[in-house]
Amino acid sequence: MLTALSQMPLPCSSSITSSSSASSLGLCLRLFFASPAFSPGCGCNFSSLSSSPLRALCVSPASRSIAVLKRATSSNAFSAMASAFKPEESRRPPAIPLPPPPIQKFKIALCQLLVTADKEKNIAHARKAIEEAADKGAKLVVLPEIWNSPYSNDSFPVYAEEIDAGGDASPSSAMLSEVARSKQITIVGGSIPERFGDRLYNTCCIFGSDGKLKAKHRKIHLFDIDIPGKITFKESKTLTAGETPTIVDTDVGRIGVGICYDIRFQELGMLYGARGAHLLCYPGAFNMTTGPLHWELLQRARAVDNQVFVATCSPARDAGAGYVAWGHSTLVGPFGEIIATTEHEEMTIVAEVDYSQIELRRMSLPLEKQRRGDLYQLVDICRLRETE
């Protein structure tokens, strides 16, 4: 390597001012003209050496050779380093490459709805919001957490529906299915209380543009908190925790789903990232204590962690409700940038998702190739069981 470098001319990048000594200038010129690889047509303007300052930037074949060599050397060094760090072993099983999305750009709608104690009214109101969003060009519509019921442990058993039974047993999911089919859109249906046997779940239904139920996500991390003097809530008094991460292929890309408190656990988002998600959706109802502190922070963190889009949808704020939601439904890009957001009042925002931004950001920050599989590892238990 050193021998090869010694036989090449130095690139003409010296900065020579009018105060430079003649000997220094002569040395610089002799170095270049003495070289057999020097190109007189390199574009260096030696006739202006008296100007102050002079910077001759040589673009000769020789200098290009050095540039190529430097890049090759840098690339080889990076590859050797990456190999030693074993980035492919930082995910077990190995991460799934980001799949080509079925659509590159589309509009997403986040429907921040005001929830009442009247279930039929809530369903009709949600239907209207979805239809209006579809009429504005939205191909994906996201609803809030617990949009058909007041958010309380007393309400969950009363408003719960048997989703798998469908029809009259689940009017909320039946409406979502019908609207998804009629408007030919994908719906991430927020969440509703689900009754399954003798258990209750906080469940999100994802419907495809054909109206079929593509997946259900049962909230994995239950909202059990106690902040003295601020808020105490324990979902575990009535609800059962879900047991399965949910990622689903749709007409608008591969979507990983979490509900509210799930967003606090970066491991879930990392699993979705390793499974090739383009977008993470989190229907959620953060409160007036944690909302101002953590809601936006967590959304941007999950987007930056995994270099994907993140969409959240909250109920609108009702100051007279037993549980007061923070609001601020938001779409975040893969660089952590806020693309669109609401305030606290009822509102639907429609914004564009451009998946080309994912590859752009990952090229700029190649985190996948820089992880230290020799030091840490994320294990996807569900995928690992499937391969055994």
Side-chain angles (χ1 to χ4, degrees):
M1 180 70 72
L2 291 175
T3 302
L5 284 173
S6 67
Q7 293 174 350
M8 287 186 176
L10 295 173
C12 186
S13 58
S14 302
S15 179
I16 307 170
T17 67
S18 58
S19 61
S20 299
S21 66
S23 60
S24 297
L25 177 58
L27 176 59
C28 180
L29 295 179
R30 282 196 298 274
L31 280 170
F32 282 96
F33 282 106
S35 168
F38 174 76
S39 171
C42 66
C44 297
N45 185 4
F46 291 99
S47 64
S48 59
L49 290 177
S50 59
S51 64
S52 177
L54 166 72
R55 184 177 298 273
L57 296 175
C58 180
V59 291
S60 69
S63 64
R64 286 197 297 271
S65 297
I66 283 190
V68 170
L69 179 60
K70 286 182 177 179
R71 285 197 297 271
T73 303
S74 175
S75 176
N76 290 338
F78 176 81
S79 298
M81 180 177 67
S83 178
F85 291 163
K86 301 179 180 179
E88 72 284 352
E89 294 184 16
S90 66
R91 300 291 183 264
R92 182 169 175 241
I96 297 173
L98 189 73
I103 186 171
Q104 197 68 28
K105 293 182 181 180
F106 65 92
K107 289 182 179 179
I108 182 175
L110 310 177
C111 299
Q112 185 166 288
L113 304 175
L114 188 64
V115 180
T116 71
D118 187 331
K119 184 176 182 179
E120 290 186 4
K121 181 179 178 180
N122 292 335
I123 294 173
H125 189 50
R127 181 183 189 123
K128 181 181 178 182
I130 296 169
E131 291 175 338
E132 289 177 350
D135 290 342
K136 292 178 181 178
K139 291 298 182 184
L140 171 63
V141 176
V142 184
L143 296 185
E145 179 185 24
I146 306 295
W147 57 267
N148 72 343
S149 159
Y151 189 87
S152 72
N153 280 314
D154 290 338
S155 298
F156 295 153
V158 177
Y159 289 75
E161 300 181 5
E162 295 180 28
I163 295 173
D164 290 349
D168 293 339
S170 184
S172 298
S173 62
M175 180 274 290
L176 296 178
S177 172
E178 184 180 336
V179 177
R181 182 178 62 255
S182 65
K183 291 295 184 178
Q184 295 186 313
I185 59 174
T186 300
I187 298 177
V188 175
S191 76
I192 62 173
E194 178 196 11
R195 186 180 301 280
F196 187 79
D198 60 353
R199 295 183 176 183
L200 296 177
Y201 295 94
N202 186 342
T203 301
C204 175
C205 296
I206 300 92
F207 288 92
S209 56
D210 57 0
K212 294 181 179 179
L213 180 64
K214 297 186 73 68
K216 286 194 307 183
H217 177 76
R218 290 168 171 165
K219 190 173 186 177
I220 294 175
H221 306 92
L222 295 183
F223 180 57
D224 285 7
I225 69 167
D226 182 12
I227 303 176
K230 297 290 184 179
I231 182 173
T232 298
F233 200 101
K234 295 191 180 300
E235 281 186 326
S236 60
K237 285 184 176 180
T238 55
L239 301 179
T240 299
E243 297 181 349
T244 309
T246 305
I247 190 163
V248 56
D249 287 317
T250 73
D251 290 343
V252 291
R254 184 168 293 176
I255 302 175
V257 182
I259 299 175
C260 199
Y261 206 56
D262 285 340
I263 200 173
R264 289 190 176 275
F265 300 87
Q266 68 268 37
E267 297 88 348
L268 181 61
M270 291 163 67
L271 285 183
Y272 291 153
R275 292 185 185 188
H278 301 102
L279 168 69
L280 307 184
C281 285
Y282 294 96
F286 268 47
N287 54 74
M288 297 297 291
T289 299
T290 60
L293 292 171
H294 302 153
W295 182 232
E296 180 182 310
L297 172 68
L298 289 166
Q299 296 172 61
R300 299 179 72 183
R302 297 296 82 80
V304 171
D305 285 347
N306 303 289
Q307 298 177 305
V308 297
F309 284 86
V310 170
T312 62
C313 192
S314 168
R317 189 181 307 171
D318 179 1
Y323 181 94
V324 182
W326 171 241
H328 297 269
S329 304
T330 304
L331 175 65
V332 183
F335 214 46
E337 71 276 22
I338 300 295
I339 297 174
T341 190
T342 68
E343 292 297 326
H344 64 271
E345 68 277 2
E346 183 171 80
M347 181 181 182
T348 295
I349 54 172
V350 179
E352 184 178 75
V353 171
D354 181 357
Y355 284 145
S356 68
Q357 292 296 309
I358 297 178
E359 287 294 348
L360 179 64
R361 299 310 183 185
R362 292 185 179 187
M363 287 177 63
S364 300
L365 292 172
L367 305 184
E368 185 177 347
K369 299 176 182 178
Q370 297 169 334
R371 292 193 175 101
R372 295 292 301 270
D374 59 326
L375 298 179
Y376 51 76
Q377 190 177 70
L378 176 73
V379 180
D380 189 333
I381 301 296
C382 294
R383 281 185 62 209
L384 200 60
R385 286 173 179 166
E386 292 173 357
T387 60
E388 292 178 346

